[in-house]
């Protein structure tokens, strides 16, 4: 992969929306009985799960904004992961109590207790595997149908910040507290590659659509493209003013979204940028009115984000 | 019949009686017991885990003076020793520490308020810094630690200050105001010393690692 242009560092935050090639715009407003604290979009784009301040999980159809179901997990649970098809939802609380819900029935199908509160969790794209970790502990990989534990990944100091499956679910990548990026065989849990180029811990990772490269970013304020077979960095995007807390490649692999964090105050909203992967041109830049409570590409190629107001959830199309 | 678990003392005495524990000619059973009991007394509870936090940066310099001359903020000196749970001092344990400056800002680009220290021959360590400010996304002032030593389980933890206004003078009761603090033992007393115009805060923080 070859970088084709140089871009200036991320501009200082600008008030309001900044439109470039595509204008991010609000496409839905959903009135909610309780303020939403997190929203997770199913990759189908037809369903969204919200966690509200009243501790209830609400399942919505999109774009109808119809409330399909209300699930009442034990108090204090948060939504940790949603399968791509929107059927399975993993929740957990600060005591480490975890529950796997079948969204179609609203029933918990599996429960367990981790040694401490949950860290990252991710379903494989086909929904057959579930990778999850207690904060600071190694990632455990389960067969999602039976919740039989298959294996445990390595145990980095500080645990794992984020997990990604390759699109064909053959590989798992993690960005870890010890600043390393690790890539594993998803069938066996064996480590295939590792990268230690980062000085500050990376926070977020994804794979290119063909699985040949992993893309990671974090405290070093640079997006890295790594060869998934060797772990070697083969491309670096220009350094930005703030670190990316989240990145995800579009379904067609042509666009990359990076959401930034304000290091001096994580509570403040920070820009989200959509990049053209080949040229590194900015396709869109969005400064949300408040910190987004959810963001994801969906299969039809739209990039959706959610921001919360006290009585409503606003859904944005960023690309 | 109710069964009482055997203490280590009982086990030793039974072992001697059964011949499965042999006491050398220079030692009496009471000597052995005394030695064992002394080791038991030295045994320490492992330091409570706390999450790594989002801004760990490796390769921090080994300079224990995190506070540079003229740095604003309350000067603070932190010292302690590193042990294992048997009470043995862990010479050459590695401590990586980092914190926000007095205004709650972390330095990601450089190594301000970051250091890698090596414990001395008695497991001792010390550094000088400034009292960290309140980071907006966190409740309490804190200093991050990663501590490693051969043969021991690595520890990530955080040091908190009993003087933090969040605790309203009663950290034992109020430490859970920061949901990340799951042990009151991580909130350490602060001793203020020095001239009223140049007050220095001193904190002692002992680290105990679990053996692998």
């Amino acid at each position: 992969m070859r970088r084709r242009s140089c871009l200036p560092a991320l501009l200082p935050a600008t008030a309001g929306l900044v439109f470039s090639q595509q204008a991010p715009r609000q496409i839905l407003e959903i009135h909610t009985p309780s303020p939403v604290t997190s929203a997770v979009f199913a990759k189908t784009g037809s369903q969204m799960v919200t966690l509200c301040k009243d501790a209830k999980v609400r399942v919505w159809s999109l774009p109808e904004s119809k409330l399909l179901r209300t699930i009442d997990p034990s108090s204090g649970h948060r939504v940790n992961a949603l399968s791509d098809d929107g059927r399975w939802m993993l929740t957990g609380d600060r005591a480490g109590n975890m529950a796997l819900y079948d969204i179609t029935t609203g029933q918990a199908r599996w429960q367990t207790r981790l040694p401490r509160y949950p860290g990252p969790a991710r379903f494989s794209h086909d929904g057959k595997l579930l990778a999850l970790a207690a904060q600071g502990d190694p990632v455990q990989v389960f067969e999602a149908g039976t919740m039989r534990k298959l294996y445990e990944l390595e145990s980095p100091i500080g645990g794992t910040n984020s997990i990604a499956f390759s699109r064909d679910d053959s590989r798992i990548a993690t960005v870890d507290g010890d600043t390393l990026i690790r890539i594993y065989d998803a069938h066996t849990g064996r480590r295939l590659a590792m990268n230690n180029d980062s000085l500050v811990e990376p926070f977020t990772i994804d794979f290119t659509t063909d699985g040949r490269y992993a893309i990671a970013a974090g405290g070093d304020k640079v997006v890295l493209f790594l060869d998934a077979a060797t772990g070697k960095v083969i491309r670096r995007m220009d350094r930005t003013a703030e670190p990316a807390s989240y990145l995800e490649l579009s379904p067609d692999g042509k666009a990359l979204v990076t959401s930034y964090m304000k290091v001096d105050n994580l509570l403040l909203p920070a820009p989200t940028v959509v990049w053209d992967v080949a040229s590194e041109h900015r396709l869109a830049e969005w400064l949300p009115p408040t910190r987004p409570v959810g963001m994801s590409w969906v299969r039809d190629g739209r990039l959706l984000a959610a921001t919360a107001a006290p009585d409503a959830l606003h859904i944005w199309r960023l690309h | 019949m109710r069964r009482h678990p055997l203490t280590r003392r009982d086990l030793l005495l039974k072992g001697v009686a059964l011949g499965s524990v042999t006491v050398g000619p220079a030692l009496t059973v009471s000597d052995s017991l005394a030695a064992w009991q002394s080791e038991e007394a030295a045994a320490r509870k492992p330091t409570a885990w706390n999450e790594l936090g989002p801004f760990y940066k490796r390769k921090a310099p080994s300079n224990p003076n995190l506070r540079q001359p003229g740095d604003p903020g309350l000067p603070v000196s932190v010292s302690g020793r590193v042990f294992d749970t048997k009470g043995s001092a862990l010479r050459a344990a590695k401590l990586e520490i980092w914190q926000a400056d007095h205004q709650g800002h972390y330095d990601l680009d450089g190594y301000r308020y970051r250091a890698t220290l090596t414990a001395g021959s008695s497991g001792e360590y010390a550094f000088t810094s400034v009292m960290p400010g309140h980071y907006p996304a966190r409740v309490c002032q804190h200093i991050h630690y990663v501590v490693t030593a051969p043969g021991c389980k690595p520890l990530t933890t955080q040091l908190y200050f009993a003087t933090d206004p969040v605790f309203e003078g009663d950290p034992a009761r109020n430490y859970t105001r920061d949901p990340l603090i799951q042990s009151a033992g991580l909130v350490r007393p602060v001793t203020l010393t020095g001239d009223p115009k140049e007050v220095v805060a001193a904190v002692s923080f002992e680290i105990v690692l679990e053996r692998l």
Side-chain angles (χ1 to χ4, degrees):
Chain A
M1 280 184 145
R2 194 175 157 82
R3 219 187 77 202
R4 295 187 189 161
S5 74
C6 288
L7 289 176
L10 189 72
L11 295 170
T14 318
L17 299 176
V18 179
F19 299 144
S20 55
Q21 291 183 19
Q22 303 219 11
R25 63 186 188 279
Q26 187 182 317
I27 55 171
L28 280 176
E29 181 178 71
I30 302 173
H31 289 276
T32 53
S34 172
V36 172
T37 55
S38 72
V40 186
F41 297 97
K43 293 292 178 195
T44 57
S46 60
Q47 198 168 292
M48 174 184 63
V49 169
T50 59
L51 177 68
C52 302
K53 273 196 174 160
D54 62 4
K56 290 185 169 57
V57 171
R58 293 181 170 84
V59 184
W60 307 84
S61 68
L62 297 177
E64 300 83 7
S65 310
K66 187 179 164 195
L67 179 62
L68 298 176
R69 186 175 298 283
T70 300
I71 299 173
D72 198 356
S74 302
S75 179
H77 274 238
R78 295 179 178 192
V79 179
N80 290 94
L82 185 69
S83 60
D84 283 10
D85 62 5
R87 176 162 183 195
W88 300 102
M89 173 181 70
L90 182 74
T91 67
D93 69 10
R94 287 202 65 81
N97 297 301
M98 308 297 295
L100 180 69
Y101 284 88
D102 182 342
I103 293 274
T104 59
T105 63
Q107 299 298 308
R109 289 281 299 270
W110 175 78
Q111 289 175 319
T112 192
R113 180 159 188 181
L114 299 176
R116 55 178 78 104
Y117 55 91
R122 181 66 66 98
F123 286 94
S124 59
H125 297 287
D126 63 8
K128 290 181 179 171
L129 297 178
L130 172 61
L132 77 106
Q135 187 70 44
D137 279 359
V139 173
Q140 304 175 59
V141 177
F142 295 86
E143 185 178 68
T146 60
M147 287 315 289
R148 183 170 63 94
K149 184 174 163 180
L150 300 176
Y151 53 82
E152 213 169 83
L153 302 183
E154 290 179 10
S155 180
I157 296 174
T160 289
N161 291 330
S162 182
I163 305 166
F165 281 90
S166 59
R167 302 289 161 105
D168 66 358
D169 293 324
S170 66
R171 287 173 174 167
I172 299 175
T174 61
V175 284
D176 299 325
D178 61 4
T179 77
L180 302 192
I181 301 165
R182 292 174 170 89
I183 296 165
Y184 302 89
D185 181 325
H187 302 297
T188 63
R190 187 173 63 90
R191 176 158 57 77
L192 301 172
M194 187 171 77
N195 176 277
N196 66 354
D197 282 9
S198 304
L199 284 175
V200 186
E201 51 185 309
F203 304 131
T204 175
I205 191 157
D206 196 6
F207 279 96
T208 53
T209 49
D210 61 8
R212 290 177 63 196
Y213 305 101
I215 313 170
D220 280 344
K221 306 179 183 177
V222 65
V223 175
L224 301 175
F225 287 71
L226 305 103
D227 184 319
T230 65
K232 277 194 167 177
V233 172
I234 49 105
R235 176 177 160 190
R236 287 169 193 271
M237 288 175 68
D238 283 345
R239 192 176 153 85
T240 49
E242 298 282 8
S245 58
Y246 166 78
L247 67 72
E248 189 185 355
L249 201 67
S250 63
D252 65 7
K254 292 180 179 171
L256 174 72
V257 63
T258 51
S259 257
Y260 295 90
M261 58 162 77
K262 284 190 182 294
V263 170
D264 285 346
N265 190 342
L266 297 180
L267 304 176
L268 295 176
T272 291
V273 178
V274 182
W275 307 89
D276 178 78
V277 172
S279 68
E280 291 187 20
H281 287 137
R282 288 163 196 242
L283 301 173
E285 183 168 337
W286 178 56
L287 182 65
T290 57
R291 234 169 22 132
V293 292
M295 186 179 298
S296 183
W297 292 98
V298 294
R299 283 181 185 149
D300 64 10
R302 289 175 301 148
L303 174 61
L304 302 180
T307 56
D311 59 350
L313 188 70
H314 298 126
I315 309 295
W316 304 75
R317 181 178 175 179
L318 307 187
H319 187 74
Chain B
M1 194 178 83
R2 193 173 162 202
R3 293 173 71 94
H4 295 281
L6 293 172
T7 64
R8 293 177 70 177
R9 186 176 192 279
D10 295 336
L11 278 172
L12 178 65
L13 289 173
K14 279 178 184 288
V16 170
L18 292 168
S20 60
V21 172
T22 310
V23 178
L27 285 176
T28 64
V29 172
S30 60
D31 286 340
S32 299
L33 263 178
W36 198 320
Q37 283 167 339
S38 156
E39 187 185 306
E40 292 274 280
R44 290 158 197 263
K45 209 176 144 189
T47 300
W49 171 89
N50 225 193
E51 70 173 56
L52 183 71
F55 301 131
Y56 169 69
K57 184 172 184 178
R58 64 194 174 90
K59 294 189 176 174
S62 55
N63 184 357
N65 300 313
L66 283 69
R67 177 177 178 265
Q68 300 300 313
D71 275 2
L74 175 65
V76 61
S77 67
V78 180
S79 59
R81 292 177 70 192
V82 186
F83 298 97
D84 67 12
T85 45
K86 288 180 178 171
S88 304
L90 292 174
R91 179 176 173 269
K94 185 171 122 183
L95 301 98
E96 294 175 89
I97 48 169
W98 68 103
Q99 63 168 86
D101 68 12
H102 76 294
Q103 292 185 313
H105 299 153
Y106 283 94
D107 179 17
L108 295 193
D109 301 326
Y111 285 96
R112 293 287 288 138
Y113 300 107
R114 296 173 183 271
T116 303
L117 309 175
T118 303
S121 56
S122 306
E124 77 279 8
Y125 77 95
F127 62 93
T128 60
S129 187
V130 296
M131 185 64 78
H134 281 95
Y135 185 67
R138 282 291 304 275
V139 178
C140 289
Q141 300 160 298
H142 57 280
I143 297 178
H144 299 264
Y145 279 66
V146 171
V147 188
T148 52
C152 292
K153 198 174 158 186
L155 173 72
T156 66
T157 193
Q158 298 181 31
L159 158 66
Y160 301 88
F161 304 92
T163 48
D164 193 320
V166 170
F167 301 127
E168 294 189 52
D170 193 353
R173 181 190 294 261
N174 296 328
Y175 71 93
T176 54
R177 288 182 179 180
D178 186 331
L180 287 189
I181 309 178
Q182 295 178 337
S183 165
L186 298 180
V187 185
R188 306 304 303 158
V190 177
T191 306
L192 298 177
T193 59
D195 185 276
K197 287 181 183 171
E198 288 184 33
V199 174
V200 174
V203 178
S204 171
F205 186 39
E206 179 181 294
I207 302 283
V208 181
L209 302 185
E210 290 178 87
R211 282 272 167 200
L212 282 172

